[in-house]
Amino acid sequence: MKRIIAIILAVLMLSSVVFADEYTVEEKIADAMNSLGLFLGTGEGYELETSLTRAQGVTLLVRMMGNEAAAESGDFETPFTDVPEWAEVYIGFAYENGITNGISDTLFDPDSDMTDYMFITLTLRALGYSDSGEDAEFVWNDPYELAYRIGLIGEAAADEDFIRGEAVTVFWNALSAKLKGQEVTLAESLVQKGVFTQQEYETAVDIAQNGKTENPGEPEKPEEPEESDAVIVVRPTVPVIPSVPDTPDTPDTPDTPNVPDTPDVPDAPDTPDSGELPDNMTEKG
């Protein structure tokens, strides 16, 4: 019996070691970001091993910056003709705020892979750094040195296979980076804006370092809507409002009913009141 108990204990200890190994650094960071409501996962969990499209990468960055509500409630426009409807508000927000550009004046190329330099460039722009003009601080397709210097990445080198887990890690590192020209970090700025509290951020830091005890590696905040659902959730607030008023306003249909209101002129028969003849006739009728 003692031998059996010893074997069971050994198996339990071994399984706990295996479990600890399976709870990766990327999952701990994803759990930390999820606790702040900045990274929600999908219907399949975090999907940290999957790649990002350009549209997904921009959407993810806007959400992680705490700007999802601002994007969805705003009326942002882009010159791009190929942006999917579910991503229009996010790409529009990022475009009008100087975070993203297209591949040409009219094309965004939303379904191409989001590379590491693209996502790092977007993150640097969100932190206030510029890659254009005379005061450019980095090159848009080679942001590694600056990103390494401010702590976004662990080495100043390209990553050939950029996936969601790495995007979340880059942004987690960005939270502790200072905004350009300011004495506050991005996390402190988001606390000031009310995106999350200081206590929530400290809890997230603990999760990133030590993990969480319940449901490790699984999202607990609401999951991201799938792209088909996002069309229903996002778009009704933006395009429907401009288009609905436009139809009634042009015809001025309300004014036409007002013309029939002139039948109120039949009140003119009140003039017979002076003789009260019509009233007697009505009563007899």
Side-chain angles (χ1 to χ4, degrees):
M1 176 65 75
K2 288 182 180 178
R3 176 178 291 181
I4 293 173
I5 293 173
I7 291 172
I8 292 172
L9 288 173
V11 170
L12 289 174
M13 289 175 64
L14 181 61
S15 64
S16 66
V17 171
V18 171
F19 177 77
D21 288 343
E22 288 177 349
Y23 192 14
T24 65
V25 173
E26 288 79 9
E27 286 175 325
K28 291 177 183 177
I29 290 174
D31 280 339
M33 292 286 285
N34 181 253
S35 74
L36 296 174
L38 301 182
F39 181 55
L40 307 182
T42 71
E44 302 299 322
Y46 290 134
E47 293 195 277
L48 298 177
E49 300 298 321
T50 62
S51 59
L52 285 164
T53 65
R54 280 170 53 84
Q56 291 169 343
V58 171
T59 300
L60 181 63
L61 183 73
V62 169
R63 179 176 291 119
M64 290 193 297
M65 287 290 297
N67 287 320
E68 182 174 24
E72 291 184 356
S73 62
D75 187 12
F76 304 102
E77 296 181 359
T78 74
F80 311 127
T81 59
D82 59 346
V83 173
E85 192 175 10
W86 66 267
E88 281 180 0
V89 290
Y90 303 104
I91 293 173
F93 177 90
Y95 176 77
E96 289 202 8
N97 284 278
I99 295 173
T100 192
N101 296 309
I103 61 168
S104 73
D105 290 342
T106 56
L107 297 177
F108 184 77
D109 196 19
D111 297 323
S112 289
D113 285 343
M114 172 72 75
T115 65
D116 65 333
Y117 68 78
M118 289 178 188
F119 191 81
I120 292 170
T121 290
L122 298 183
T123 305
L124 288 171
R125 288 173 182 165
L127 289 170
Y129 293 94
S130 174
D131 57 310
S132 61
E134 294 180 0
D135 299 326
E137 293 141 308
F138 69 100
V139 180
W140 67 273
N141 60 353
D142 186 14
Y144 306 112
E145 184 179 344
L146 176 59
Y148 173 72
R149 187 160 22 103
I150 67 174
L152 300 188
I153 55 179
E155 56 179 319
D159 185 351
E160 298 300 326
D161 302 309
F162 191 67
I163 53 179
R164 280 168 64 93
E166 290 164 330
V168 174
T169 301
V170 166
F171 193 82
W172 173 256
N173 294 336
L175 286 175
S176 56
K178 287 186 177 180
L179 297 172
K180 183 201 166 185
Q182 300 185 36
E183 289 303 314
V184 295
T185 64
L186 176 57
E188 290 168 338
S189 170
L190 295 180
V191 168
Q192 291 172 4
K193 291 178 181 177
V195 176
F196 48 78
T197 66
Q198 181 62 33
Q199 180 58 52
E200 287 170 335
Y201 180 61
E202 290 171 5
T203 300
V205 170
D206 181 66
I207 293 174
Q209 293 173 348
N210 305 307
K212 63 179 185 180
T213 52
E214 295 183 11
N215 303 317
E218 296 180 14
E220 293 182 5
K221 296 286 184 181
E223 295 171 346
E224 297 173 9
E226 294 181 7
E227 293 180 6
S228 57
D229 294 335
V231 176
I232 300 169
V233 173
V234 173
R235 292 316 298 160
T237 56
V238 181
V240 174
I241 293 174
S243 50
V244 170
D246 287 344
T247 21
D249 285 345
T250 6
D252 283 335
T253 38
D255 292 336
T256 345
N258 289 357
V259 182
D261 283 0
T262 45
D264 287 5
V265 184
D267 289 31
D270 284 307
T271 44
D273 278 333
S274 53
E276 295 184 350
L277 194 61
D279 285 339
N280 297 335
M281 295 173 65
T282 330
E283 286 172 4
K284 291 176 184 178

